Amino acid sequence: MKLLWLLLFPSVLFAQWQPQTSGTDANFRSVSAVSRKVVWVGGSKGTFVRTTDGGKTWQAGTVPGAETCDFRDVQAFSATEAILMAAGPAEKGQARLYRTSNGGKTWKLIYQTGQSGVFFDSMDFWNRWEGMVFSDPVGGTWYVMTTTNGGKTWKRVSPDRLPPLQPGEAAFAASGTSLITRGYKWRTHNYQRAWIASGGTGKGRIYSTPSIDGNWQVTETTIPAGPTAGIFGLWFDATGENGMAVGGDYKNEKADWANVAVTTDAGKTWTAGTPTNPPGLKEGVGRLTSKRLIVVGPSGTGYTDDFGKTWTKIDDSAFHAISCESGRCWAVGAKGAIAMMEE
C-alpha cells in the first residue's frame, strides 16, 4: 500500500525545506555554500552568519564599523575565508568589500569608493584569487572591477570594453547572482566566462565576456523588463554552456510573468522557458541534482527536472537567494530565514 501511495503521489518523495536557526533577525539576500557543511550568509545591519557543521549550529556576527551596511553578496572560499559585498550608494559610504581569513573573528575593509553612482549589485569568483564585482551604470556603462589577488586590490574594467546601456537599464542587487562567473581549462586555453543580467526597460538583457580581461557582448532575452522588473538571477553549469535566467517584478511579486529564459550556447542566444510554478518573481536558481534546478523568490519555490520546460511547486516559502553544493541547497530570506534541502 505504501509503495502504491508513493507511485500515485511522487511529489512526496521530494525533500522539503528544513528551517535553520540563524540567531539573528537580519534580512538575508546572499548565501555561499563551500561544501555540504560550510555555508556563509550575508545580511542587513552589517550581519554575517556561518555554519561549519551542516547547519547544526550557526555563528552570527556583525562586521565592526559596518552596522549600516547591507551585505547583498558573499563569496566563501573555506570555513575561514570569505568576502562580503555591501550594496548601497557609494556617496553614503556603503559601497564596500570586506574580507576575513579567520572565520569572521576579524574583518578587513579591502575596498571602498565614494564615486557618485556606484552601487554594487553582485560579485563572483572563478577561484580564490580571480574575481569580479559590478555596480549600477556609471557614465552609461556598467562599473566592473576585477581582482587577481583574492580581493587585496581591484582594477576597473575599461568602459570601452563594455557595450553602452539603454536609458533606464540597470541591475538588481537581489540575490547575489546578477553576476555569474564560470571557469575551466580546455587543453591550453583557460576559459573565464562572466555574465551580467539587467532589467529596467524593454527586455532583460545578458552581458557576457569570454575572459577576465576580454570585451563584452550583449544579448536580449525573452524576460520583460521595466523600472521594477527584469532579470534578478542567473545560473550556469560548470562548462558555462547551459544557463538559466529568472526574474519578474518586485513591485508585483506574485504576478504571472514570463520569468524564465534558458541558453545552451553560453548566453549567445536565449529562449523562453515555461513560467515557474508557483508564478511570480524569482530571484535565484540552484542545482540540487544533475537534473533538478530549484528556483526561489518572494512568491515561493519550485523545481524543474527538464531545464525549465515544466515546473513543480515546492511550497510558498519566501526566499531571496540560494546556493547549492554536493547535493544540498541553502536558501535565505527576510528576518533571519535560512533553510536547507538535500537530495
Side-chain angles (χ1 to χ4, degrees):
M1 180 62 71
K2 181 178 180 181
L3 177 61
L4 176 60
W5 182 63
L6 292 175
L7 291 172
L8 291 174
F9 302 99
S11 62
V12 301
L13 294 172
F14 184 69
Q16 300 298 303
W17 292 112
Q18 301 174 35
Q20 309 288 297
T21 302
S22 66
T24 175
D25 64 352
N27 295 321
F28 297 139
R29 286 184 177 271
S30 60
V31 55
S32 180
V34 179
S35 65
R36 287 177 64 87
K37 291 186 176 182
V38 177
V39 183
W40 290 75
V41 178
S44 61
K45 299 184 288 188
T47 304
F48 71 93
V49 179
R50 180 189 70 141
T51 183
T52 59
D53 55 15
K56 294 178 182 178
T57 59
W58 292 85
Q59 166 206 356
T62 302
V63 177
E67 292 81 3
T68 62
C69 289
D70 190 357
F71 293 126
R72 296 290 185 97
D73 206 351
V74 57
Q75 175 70 54
F77 305 103
S78 68
T80 56
E81 297 174 282
I83 295 177
L84 289 167
M85 182 204 81
E91 303 92 319
K92 297 183 179 180
Q94 295 179 347
R96 309 183 198 177
L97 300 172
Y98 288 89
R99 185 182 181 108
T100 183
S101 58
N102 55 15
K105 293 178 182 178
T106 60
W107 292 86
K108 181 179 180 180
L109 179 63
I110 58 175
Y111 183 83
Q112 183 174 7
T113 180
Q115 180 168 343
S116 178
V118 172
F119 188 115
F120 289 141
D121 293 294
S122 184
M123 69 174 174
D124 205 7
F125 278 69
W126 289 276
N127 50 59
R128 69 189 314 114
W129 304 112
E130 297 172 300
M132 180 178 289
V133 64
F134 91 105
S135 152
D136 277 352
V138 175
T141 61
W142 300 120
Y143 189 96
V144 181
M145 298 193 305
T146 60
T147 181
T148 57
N149 56 15
K152 293 180 181 178
T153 59
W154 294 84
K155 179 182 179 181
R156 184 181 179 185
V157 174
S158 172
D160 295 339
R161 292 182 176 174
L162 292 152
L165 276 71
Q166 298 174 338
E169 192 172 9
F172 299 102
S175 64
T177 57
S178 52
L179 164 66
I180 291 290
T181 65
R182 291 291 184 267
Y184 66 96
K185 288 185 178 180
W186 173 250
R187 295 180 179 175
T188 61
H189 190 79
N190 187 24
Y191 289 92
Q192 290 179 301
R193 292 167 169 165
W195 300 265
I196 288 173
S198 80
T201 185
K203 295 289 183 66
R205 302 205 295 174
I206 304 294
Y207 294 74
S208 62
T209 181
S211 64
I212 189 172
D213 56 359
N215 293 323
W216 291 72
Q217 306 294 323
V218 61
T219 303
E220 187 175 274
T221 74
T222 57
I223 297 177
T228 58
I231 302 170
F232 283 68
L234 292 172
W235 172 86
F236 277 86
D237 65 9
T239 69
E241 291 294 319
N242 303 299
M244 179 175 290
V246 295
D249 187 339
Y250 74 76
K251 284 290 184 69
N252 199 356
E253 295 177 346
K254 295 186 178 181
D256 198 357
W257 197 268
N259 60 356
V260 178
V262 296
T263 181
T264 56
D265 57 11
K268 296 182 180 69
T269 60
W270 293 82
T271 58
T274 303
T276 59
N277 180 20
L281 174 60
K282 296 294 175 282
E283 296 177 331
V285 184
R287 172 185 264 177
L288 180 63
T289 68
S290 60
K291 291 185 177 181
R292 182 157 293 176
L293 297 178
I294 311 292
V295 291
V296 300
S299 62
T301 66
Y303 72 87
T304 178
D305 286 334
D306 53 16
F307 202 47
K309 295 178 182 178
T310 61
W311 293 90
T312 300
K313 179 178 178 178
I314 298 175
D315 59 23
D316 294 316
S317 297
F319 297 116
H320 293 300
I322 184 172
S323 181
C324 303
E325 182 63 38
S326 303
R328 277 187 177 175
C329 288
W330 305 84
V332 299
K335 298 181 180 180
I338 303 177
M340 185 269 286
M341 180 182 294
E342 56 188 339
E343 59 178 311

